[in-house]
Amino acid sequence: MNQERVFKVLLGPHVTEKAAMAAERNQYVFKVADDATKPEIKVAVQELFGKKVDSVQVLNIKGKTKRSANGLGQRKGYRKAYVTLAAGETLEDFSGAE
């Protein structure tokens, strides 16, 4: 995978309480591009952070339906990936992401 694609696959960390709890189990959560595949996400994390990735799980989050004076609208959905690192690996950069 070329270097340009690596930077387009991972859009950034997804920082929530649930993501912080997952980090204790050696899982890290990232917002990823809509067309990113599991192998691409795995390679991107390994190249950017230099850590060995054990597994990748991907979720598609639907945008909420919101009501306004103009009727119903739809927020934009996104895609996120739970990346599990190999035993003994951690992301120090990730802890202070917020």
Side-chain angles (χ1 to χ4, degrees), residues 49-84:
F49 297 102
K51 305 291 181 175
K52 185 168 178 3
V53 175
D54 196 28
S55 66
V56 176
Q57 295 173 317
V58 180
L59 290 95
N60 291 319
I61 308 299
K62 288 180 67 172
K64 288 184 176 180
T65 302
K66 293 302 226 176
R67 192 191 278 290
S68 71
N70 300 329
L72 290 177
Q74 186 81 13
R75 283 190 187 165
K76 189 173 188 285
Y78 59 95
R79 187 171 166 97
K80 68 179 178 178
Y82 283 86
V83 177
T84 305

Side-chain angles (χ1 to χ4, degrees), residues 18-71:
K18 186 175 180 182
M21 289 173 28
E24 295 172 2
R25 296 188 312 273
N26 217 17
Q27 280 188 329
Y28 299 92
V29 187
F30 296 95
K31 284 189 181 181
V32 295
D34 291 335
D35 61 343
T37 62
K38 287 183 179 184
E40 283 181 331
I41 295 167
K42 182 176 181 175
V43 169
V45 171
Q46 288 177 344
E47 285 187 16
L48 284 176
F49 297 102
K51 305 291 181 175
K52 185 168 178 3
V53 175
D54 196 28
S55 66
V56 176
Q57 295 173 317
V58 180
L59 290 95
N60 291 319
I61 308 299
K62 288 180 67 172
K64 288 184 176 180
T65 302
K66 293 302 226 176
R67 192 191 278 290
S68 71
N70 300 329

Side-chain angles (χ1 to χ4, degrees), residues 28 91-98:
Y28 299 92
L91 291 179
E92 295 80 18
D93 306 338
F94 203 83
S95 59
E98 191 170 307

Side-chain angles (χ1 to χ4, degrees), residues 7-27:
F7 288 113
K8 289 187 177 182
V9 169
L10 296 179
L11 301 179
H14 187 70
V15 182
T16 60
E17 288 183 26
K18 186 175 180 182
M21 289 173 28
E24 295 172 2
R25 296 188 312 273
N26 217 17
Q27 280 188 329

